C-alpha cells in the first residue's frame, strides 16, 4: 500500500457534496472533510502552498483552483496561500488557506469545475467517509487485507463494496458513453449513406458524358485533358454542396453544445473528416467512370447510349 486516506464524498462516485455552505455570503461552496492522507491516495495535485497534517494548531483548509479564481480573480495560486476566509457567515471562525489544489469534477465529467474547500477531518467532520487506498499491487489482494483490518478495528462496522477507481469512473461516465456510442453509430451510417448517395449521383453524371468523352478523344484530346475535364465538371457541384453544408452545420452546431465535452461544436477534426470522406468518394466516382470511358475506342464511346 502506497497511501491511504478518507473523504466524505469521493468526487467521481457522487454529485456535489451535501455539505454546501456559503463563503462571504456570496459563494456557494462544496465542503469536504478529508484526512491528511487523502490527497496522496487520490493523486490530487498541489498547485501552491502545502497539504495539511493530521494535527493543525489553527483552522486550515485547502481550496480548489476554481474557488481561488472566484474569490481572488486577479491573484496567482501562490498569492492566495496564507489568506483567510470564513465558513458559513461572518461570525464563523477564520480559516487559513494552507494551499490550492487542482479542480475535480463530481459525478459526470461533462460538468463544470465546482468550487471545493477541503477541511481536516479532525477539525470538521460531517458524516460517513469513503476510504481511498493507493496501491501498486493487485487490488483484489489488497481488498481482502483492507476488509480484515476494518473487521479487526470494529467487527460491527458495515463494509460496502470495494471498487477500483477505474470502475468508479467508468460507472460515472456510463450514460454519456452510451450516448456517445449511439450518436457515433448514427453519424457513421449517415455519413455512409451520404457517401453512397454522392458516389451514385456523381458516377451517373460522369457516365452520362461518355459520348462527350468519346467525341473529345476522337477530335484528338489527350486522355489527361479528358480526365481533367471530367473532374472539373463532376466535382464542381460536390464542392458547392459541401460548402453549403458546412455553413449550415456551423449555423446549427450551437444546439449540440450541451452534448459535447472537451471539443467545440465546430471541431475542425470532425468537420475535416466528413469533408475529406465526401471529397474522396466524389473523386473516386469521377475517376472510375471517366477511366472506363477514356479507355473505350472513340467510335464505341460515340455510339454509347
Amino acid at each position: 500500500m502506497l497511501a491511504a486516506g478518507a473523504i466524505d464524498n469521493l468526487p467521481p462516485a457522487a454529485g456535489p457534496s451535501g455539505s454546501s455552505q456559503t463563503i462571504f455570503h456570496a459563494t456557494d461552496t462544496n465542503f469536504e472533510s478529508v484526512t491528511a492522507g487523502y490527497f496522496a491516495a487520490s493523486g490530487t495535485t498541489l498547485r501552491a502552498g502545502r497539504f495539511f497534517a493530521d494535527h493543525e494548531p489553527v483552522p486550515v483548509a485547502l481550496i480548489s483552483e476554481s474557488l481561488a479564481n472566484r474569490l481572488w480573480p486577479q491573484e496567482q495560486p501562490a498569492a492566495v496561500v496564507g489568506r483567510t476566509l470564513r465558513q458559513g457567515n461572518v461570525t464563523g471562525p477564520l480559516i487559513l488557506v494552507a494551499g490550492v489544489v487542482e479542480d475535480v469534477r463530481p459525478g459526470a465529467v461533462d460538468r463544470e469545475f465546482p468550487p471545493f474547500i477541503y477541511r481536516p477531518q479532525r477539525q470538521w467532520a460531517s458524516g460517513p467517509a469513503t476510504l481511498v487506498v493507493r496501491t501498486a499491487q493487485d487490488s483484489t489482494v489488497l481488498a481482502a487485507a483492507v476488509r480484515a483490518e476494518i473487521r479487526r478495528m470494529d467487527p460491527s462496522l458495515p463494509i460496502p463494496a470495494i471498487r477500483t477507481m477505474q470502475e468508479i469512473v467508468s460507472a460515472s461516465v456510463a450514460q454519456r458513453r452510451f450516448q456517445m456510442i449511439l450518436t457515433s453509430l448514427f453519424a457513421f451510417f449517415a455519413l455512409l449513406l451520404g457517401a453512397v448517395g454522392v458516389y451514385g449521383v456523381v458516377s451517373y453524371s460522369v457516365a452520362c458524358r461518355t459520348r462527350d468523352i468519346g467525341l473529345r478523344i476522337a477530335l484528338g484530346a489527350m486522355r489527361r485533358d479528358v480526365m481533367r475535364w471530367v473532374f472539373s465538371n463532376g466535382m464542381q457541384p460536390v464542392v458547392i454542396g459541401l460548402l453549403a453544408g458546412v455553413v449550415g452545420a456551423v449555423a446549427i452546431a450551437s444546439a449540440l453544445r450541451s452534448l459535447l465535452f472537451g471539443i467545440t461544436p465546430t471541431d475542425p477534426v470532425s468537420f475535416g473528416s466528413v469533408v475529406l470522406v465526401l471529397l474522396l468518394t466524389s473523386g473516386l466516382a469521377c475517376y472510375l467512370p471517366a477511366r472506363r470511358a477514356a479507355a473505350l475506342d472513340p467510335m464505341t464511346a460515340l455510339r454509347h447510349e
Side-chain angles (χ1 to χ4, degrees):
M1 185 174 66
L2 302 178
I7 184 172
D8 286 350
N9 298 277
L10 191 64
S17 171
S19 304
S20 178
Q21 299 188 25
T22 302
I23 300 295
F24 299 151
H25 290 282
T27 302
D28 191 39
T29 306
N30 299 296
F31 277 80
E32 294 288 356
S33 174
V34 302
T35 63
Y38 166 74
F39 299 104
S42 63
T44 303
T45 302
L46 182 69
R47 301 301 191 197
R50 64 176 179 86
F51 293 123
F52 47 65
D54 286 325
H55 299 276
E56 292 285 345
V58 297
V60 297
L62 292 173
I63 66 175
S64 62
E65 286 183 285
S66 59
L67 180 58
N69 293 332
R70 187 176 301 184
L71 296 179
W72 297 282
Q74 305 299 325
E75 302 286 352
Q76 295 295 321
V80 174
V81 177
R83 301 288 182 90
T84 57
L85 50 83
R86 293 184 187 273
Q87 177 178 343
N89 53 58
V90 294
T91 62
L94 283 175
I95 301 174
L96 177 69
V97 177
V100 179
V101 296
E102 65 178 332
D103 286 313
V104 295
R105 285 187 175 90
V109 297
D110 57 346
R111 298 176 182 173
E112 295 297 328
F113 291 119
F116 271 94
I117 291 183
Y118 302 92
R119 296 294 312 282
Q121 194 175 58
R122 291 181 181 273
Q123 294 184 356
W124 187 78
S126 63
T130 300
L131 178 64
V132 182
V133 179
R134 176 178 289 270
T135 178
Q137 65 185 103
D138 186 4
S139 59
T140 57
V141 176
L142 183 64
V146 170
R147 287 192 181 94
E149 183 63 22
I150 295 175
R151 294 297 185 198
R152 187 186 66 80
M153 296 173 59
D154 187 352
S156 63
L157 189 66
I159 304 175
I162 297 179
R163 297 182 295 168
T164 64
M165 186 61 72
Q166 183 177 3
E167 293 172 342
I168 294 173
V169 173
S170 178
S172 69
V173 299
Q175 182 179 3
R176 286 300 190 190
R177 182 187 296 114
F178 173 75
Q179 293 173 347
M180 180 197 69
I181 293 174
L182 195 62
T183 303
S184 298
L185 285 175
F186 284 142
F188 171 76
F189 285 113
L191 180 60
L192 180 63
L193 288 175
V196 171
V198 168
Y199 180 88
V201 171
V202 174
S203 178
Y204 176 76
S205 174
V206 174
C208 289
R209 293 187 173 93
T210 301
R211 288 172 58 90
D212 295 337
I213 294 174
L215 179 61
R216 289 172 181 272
I217 295 176
L219 294 176
M222 301 295 292
R223 294 186 185 274
R224 62 174 179 270
D225 296 327
V226 172
M227 296 293 290
R228 188 181 301 112
W229 173 77
V230 170
F231 269 91
S232 175
N233 286 272
M235 294 296 291
Q236 183 177 0
V238 175
V239 173
I240 295 174
L242 284 176
L243 290 176
V246 169
V247 172
V250 171
I252 65 174
S254 58
L256 301 176
R257 188 178 300 275
S258 62
L259 301 177
L260 303 178
F261 170 72
I263 60 172
T264 62
T266 54
D267 178 51
V269 176
S270 301
F271 277 81
S273 300
V274 172
V275 170
L276 180 62
V277 168
L278 294 180
L279 284 178
L280 290 177
T281 302
S282 304
L284 189 65
C286 289
Y287 173 74
L288 293 180
R291 187 185 65 173
R292 289 194 298 268
L296 292 175
D297 181 76
M299 296 305 298
T300 304
L302 288 173
R303 289 194 298 267
H304 184 272
E305 294 294 337

